[in-house]
Amino acid sequence: MSTLLEVSGVSVSFDGFKAINNLSFNIGPAELRAIIGPNGAGKTTFMDIVTGKTRPDEGEVLWGEKNQSLLRLSESQIAQTGIGRKFQRPTVFEDQSVEDNLLLALKKNRSPFSVLVFKKAEADTAAIQALAEDIGLSDQLTRKAGELSHGQKQWLEIGMLLAQDPQLLLVDEPAAGMTLAEREHTTTILKDAAKSRAVVVVEHDMEFVRRLECKVTVLHEGAVLAEGSLDHVTKNQDVIDVYLGR
Amino acid sequence: MMERTFLARNPSVLIFIALLALFTLAVTVLSEGLGTGFVSTAMVKTLGMTLCFCLIAIAMDLVWGYCGILSLGHFAFFGLGGYMIGMWLMYARTEDIVIASLAGADLPPTEQEIVDAIGTQIFGVVGSSEFPWVWAFADSLLIQLVLVVAVPGLLALVFGWLAFRSRVTGVYLSILTQAMTLALALYLFQNDSGLRGNNGLSGLQNIPGMADTPQSVLSVWFLWASAVALGLGYMFAAWVVSGKFGSVIRGIRDDEARVRFLGYPVEAYKLFVFTITAVMAGIGGALYYPQAGIINPAEVAPIASIYLAVWVAIGGRGRLYGAVIGAAFVSLLSTWFTGGRVPDVDLGFYTIEWVSWWQVALGVSFVLVTLFAPRGIGGLFDLFINRRTPDRHGADLGPDTGSLREKEAET
Ligand SMILES: Nc1ncnc2c1ncn2[C@@H]1O[C@H](COP(=O)(O)OP(=O)(O)O)[C@@H](O)[C@H]1O
Ligand SMILES: [Mg+2]
């Protein structure tokens, strides 16, 4: 299988504390992958590195067919190459309508001059409608995002990710603060999304991970502890020691 | 859904333009120069200058209220615009005077003699008669007009590029812009800066070639020019903030990192807004100083830019008319209080003299507005309309046309 994203030998430390320790990790195109691990394992930091927010001290992050290094690109350039990210805490533009939030994310030329003369076409309105349908917000389009419930904000953020139409989606704890029904809907959205692109989901909740039915990577102290199906990793003694059997 | 035209989506722009036109007409009709004489020429000039303040306030609102960059340096750009037009005004007028005075001589003066005489006239106060290099194009109105836009624009572009590229934000950026203004003011204060040091440029109210037109008439023309510039500036700003661009810069204001992860080059947007607003400020200055008659380095002092932020905060940032109201209200009030005609308040044990206490009152109101009415004077409009009318969506909920519509009721 070819790889879409290849992280090799990456390390990063904060004030001497090694948050990521010689981490290597591959993900193929159209693959759904869950990353689990205790708090402070470095899951969010891993996403920070891939999206350009944090620069690693060592190692390489390669992207796509041409094995382009992501470490030399800025956050916005990385996003434009096709990596979308959902943050742990839902971050939507609260002061703007759901529609405007989605429009901002919609895949379009991002340069100031083309945005300045941008006019919303019928196709864009239709695309936004369709997205809103997927994330269950079609009757909330004109509301300010700040007025949505916590779960709805999570969905809006996922919708914004889908609107970007990225090749790789990094999703940090999407189910946090959701009801059971909302979690199920979220599972469906993520599984659907993974049909045409790679999706990496960081999650704490085992039930949620089980429902994703995908390969699981266990992270511990900034390195991969185990990898495989959920049943496989949950039988691993190391994993039981550090995570499950706490 | 049909895309409506820009003006239909932004009726507040039409209202603003109409009010501005009405105001300018009324002043014209009441002016000494072209009307009944009820409004003095000095007052017409004050009002015209106030319109220029409103223009720079819109620029400030764009950069601070919408894009979240608290620039405390926009009056530097305003001053630079003034200096650029001031150079031509002073040169061309001195040239007229010199030619007239040499006309009586037996031998017609040579080109060089005229230029030397102009130099002596202009730079005598700083003990020089040589033209510094910055005056290279002072004889050309066209080039100086281009410089009105180009000099503030280029300074903003270079400064902004350096600052935004290194991700300087928040209070550090504000301090940096203050440092820039201070550096510019100190430079202009020097006699060898080439702009007559602390004397500045003067006699700017005399427009070359129009010696026969009285100030009472010129003042009305400048009022109109200022009103046109303000109207165009308002429309431009409204156009910029109403579309997707406005959505992006408000996003930058609220969560810069998030906008970056959506793939927008945040620094480029900031640089664009910073530069374009510097240009607006420069144009405002170029219209202001011919009405003020004099520009000197004190005008560029850091405090001026801080006042600008106070105007916009009091008027209500994040809404264009708020900035206009703030600038007009506070600067006119300030003129009134510092004009020395406001009766002192005798408290028995102490007499409040407004000329000096006005600053304190302004400072206190700024703190009060920031704490208790962050939406400023403009926020009062929300009390009347409760919600911006152009945002109506959906069908009427009730039988009356005035009733809330479907989607409005949700918020
Ligand atoms: N910017 C930072 N500065 C200092 N320490 C950090 C920073 N970001 C993360 N860390 C530390 O790195 C470790 C990994 O954090 P994180 O990646 O957020 O873990 P999680 O797996 O819970 O998402 C934690 O111990 C955290 O305190
Ligand atoms: Mg985390």
Side-chain angles (χ1 to χ4, degrees):
Chain A
M1 192 174 69
S2 65
T3 54
L4 179 66
L5 178 76
E6 184 182 339
V7 176
S8 51
V10 167
S11 298
V12 65
S13 31
F14 300 112
D15 311 321
F17 169 75
K18 272 212 155 154
I20 296 284
N21 189 2
N22 196 18
L23 175 74
S24 297
F25 176 93
N26 288 337
I27 182 127
E31 186 188 345
L32 179 60
R33 176 79 65 91
I35 298 184
I36 59 174
N39 252 331
K43 305 181 296 289
T44 302
T45 308
F46 158 75
M47 292 197 171
D48 285 347
I49 289 171
V50 175
T51 54
K53 191 178 174 198
T54 301
R55 303 278 155 194
D57 306 328
E58 291 169 51
E60 194 49 273
V61 181
L62 299 175
W63 166 255
E65 299 276 292
K66 293 189 217 123
N67 279 332
Q68 184 188 14
S69 170
L70 291 182
L71 299 183
R72 274 181 288 280
L73 301 184
S74 70
E75 293 101 311
S76 57
Q77 285 168 328
I78 291 176
Q80 283 182 26
T81 61
I83 299 182
R85 172 176 188 180
K86 194 201 113 26
F87 289 82
Q88 191 165 342
R89 154 186 79 86
T91 41
V92 295
F93 299 107
E94 311 234 333
D95 194 35
Q96 303 192 35
S97 69
V98 171
E99 185 174 5
D100 284 345
N101 270 278
L102 289 171
L103 185 64
L104 269 182
L106 208 59
K107 193 174 184 179
K108 293 276 164 196
N109 191 329
R110 301 297 208 214
S111 82
F113 292 99
S114 74
V115 167
L116 194 58
V117 297
F118 172 82
K119 277 206 170 61
K120 193 167 64 176
E122 297 281 326
D124 302 327
T125 314
I128 288 173
Q129 276 292 342
L131 276 165
E133 199 88 37
D134 285 347
I135 54 172
L137 293 177
S138 35
D139 51 355
Q140 315 280 344
L141 277 176
T142 55
R143 281 183 70 178
K144 282 201 175 177
E147 297 165 353
L148 299 177
S149 74
H150 188 81
Q152 286 175 318
K153 281 183 196 167
Q154 298 269 42
W155 280 341
L156 174 57
E157 203 179 350
I158 294 174
M160 288 167 73
L161 265 187
L162 298 175
Q164 276 177 269
D165 193 23
Q167 281 170 273
L168 170 65
L169 249 88
L170 302 172
V171 193
D172 205 348
E173 309 209 3
M178 282 189 172
T179 64
L180 196 62
E182 286 174 334
R183 277 163 191 251
E184 273 168 17
H185 189 173
T186 308
T187 320
T188 322
I189 297 176
L190 291 176
K191 280 168 113 174
D192 274 352
K195 282 176 188 152
S196 51
R197 53 172 72 85
V199 178
V200 176
V201 185
V202 163
E203 193 45 75
H204 262 210
D205 181 62
M206 274 305 167
E207 272 317 299
F208 187 82
V209 174
R210 187 172 300 283
R211 254 184 285 174
L212 288 176
E213 300 168 314
C214 66
K215 190 169 164 185
V216 175
T217 300
V218 185
L219 224 58
H220 178 57
E221 290 177 351
V224 174
L225 189 65
E227 210 165 63
S229 72
L230 185 62
D231 288 331
H232 172 80
V233 300
T234 47
K235 285 199 196 87
N236 183 312
Q237 192 54 47
D238 292 339
V239 176
I240 296 172
D241 287 347
V242 304
Y243 185 41
L244 302 164
R246 274 182 300 175
Chain B
M1 193 174 65
M2 269 280 294
E3 274 292 301
R4 291 160 297 162
T5 65
F6 166 69
L7 285 179
R9 276 181 289 125
N10 298 277
S12 69
V13 174
L14 268 186
I15 296 175
F16 179 81
I17 301 290
L19 287 176
L20 181 65
L22 216 63
F23 165 80
T24 316
L25 264 176
V27 175
T28 306
V29 168
L30 298 174
S31 70
E32 276 176 32
L34 298 171
T36 62
F38 182 76
V39 177
S40 71
T41 298
M43 191 61 197
V44 173
K45 286 188 178 184
T46 302
L47 293 174
M49 292 190 285
T50 304
L51 294 182
C52 299
F53 283 154
C54 294
L55 179 60
I56 190 180
I58 289 175
M60 182 67 185
D61 201 17
L62 213 52
V63 76
W64 180 34
Y66 285 90
C67 200
I69 305 167
L70 175 51
S71 163
L72 295 177
H74 265 59
F75 252 102
F77 305 127
F78 190 84
L80 280 175
Y83 266 105
M84 291 307 129
I85 197 66
M87 284 197 278
W88 175 78
L89 286 169
M90 214 168 161
Y91 183 96
R93 175 162 149 83
T94 313
E95 186 179 33
D96 286 352
I97 295 172
V98 165
I99 289 176
S101 72
L102 291 181
D106 298 336
L107 280 172
T110 63
E111 194 99 337
Q112 191 55 43
E113 279 171 346
I114 294 179
V115 172
D116 287 346
I118 300 172
T120 315
Q121 277 276 334
I122 295 182
F123 300 106
V125 284
V126 287
S128 164
S129 60
E130 296 281 300
F131 270 99
W133 64 272
V134 286
W135 288 73
F137 306 108
D139 57 336
S140 160
L141 172 60
L142 186 71
I143 294 181
Q144 290 300 136
L145 282 178
V146 170
L147 291 180
V148 160
V149 173
V151 170
L154 272 177
L155 177 62
L157 195 69
V158 172
F159 176 89
W161 186 73
L162 291 171
F164 300 139
R165 194 186 56 132
S166 11
R167 303 255 169 112
V168 181
T169 53
V171 76
Y172 298 101
L173 187 83
S174 305
I175 292 172
L176 218 54
T177 54
Q178 277 275 283
M180 175 198 76
T181 351
L182 184 63
L184 182 69
L186 291 178
Y187 171 74
L188 291 173
F189 264 121
Q190 293 183 327
N191 278 347
D192 50 12
S193 69
L195 290 162
R196 308 204 332 153
N198 61 356
N199 304 291
L201 309 180
S202 53
L204 308 184
Q205 74 279 16
N206 304 307
I207 308 304
M210 294 193 184
D212 299 334
T213 317
Q215 284 294 317
S216 58
V217 176
L218 277 178
S219 63
V220 177
W221 287 6
F222 269 101
L223 177 79
W224 275 95
S226 307
V228 167
L230 176 60
L232 290 175
Y234 194 95
M235 284 206 278
F236 173 75
W239 174 71
V240 166
V241 301
S242 68
K244 186 174 168 187
F245 191 92
S247 194
V248 174
I249 60 175
R250 278 180 290 137
I252 291 174
R253 175 191 69 193
D254 296 339
D255 192 344
E256 169 175 332
R258 184 75 182 89
V259 179
R260 226 174 249 135
F261 287 117
L262 282 175
Y264 291 94
V266 167
E267 284 66 40
Y269 280 82
K270 287 186 173 179
L271 194 55
F272 181 91
V273 173
F274 194 70
T275 305
I276 205 83
T277 53
V279 167
M280 287 170 76
I283 295 171
L287 284 164
Y288 178 91
Y289 289 103
Q291 303 181 71
I294 180 164
I295 179 169
N296 61 47
E299 304 278 322
V300 180
I303 188 73
S305 298
I306 295 179
Y307 276 135
L308 178 60
V310 173
W311 295 347
V312 174
I314 289 183
R317 67 198 156 105
R319 57 181 90 215
L320 297 173
Y321 59 86
V324 171
I325 293 171
F329 179 72
V330 182
S331 71
L332 283 175
L333 213 60
S334 162
T335 311
W336 188 56
F337 274 117
T338 53
R341 261 173 285 164
V342 186
D344 295 340
V345 181
D346 194 354
L347 297 177
F349 56 95
Y350 186 81
T351 309
I352 295 180
E353 292 165 9
W354 284 113
V355 176
S356 40
W357 275 93
W358 155 246
Q359 307 275 355
V360 179
L362 182 63
V364 171
S365 15
F366 174 61
V367 172
L368 291 180
V369 165
T370 314
L371 289 179
F372 301 111
R375 286 197 265 173
I377 303 174
L380 293 177
F381 285 79
D382 292 353
L383 298 179
F384 295 119
I385 32 181
N386 199 24
R387 194 190 154 93
R388 285 174 301 141
T389 34
D391 269 349
R392 307 212 110 189
H393 300 280
D396 285 351
L397 277 184
D400 307 315
T401 40
S403 62
L404 278 181
R405 302 187 185 185
E406 239 165 27
K407 296 284 154 52
E408 282 173 322
E410 287 171 4
T411 55

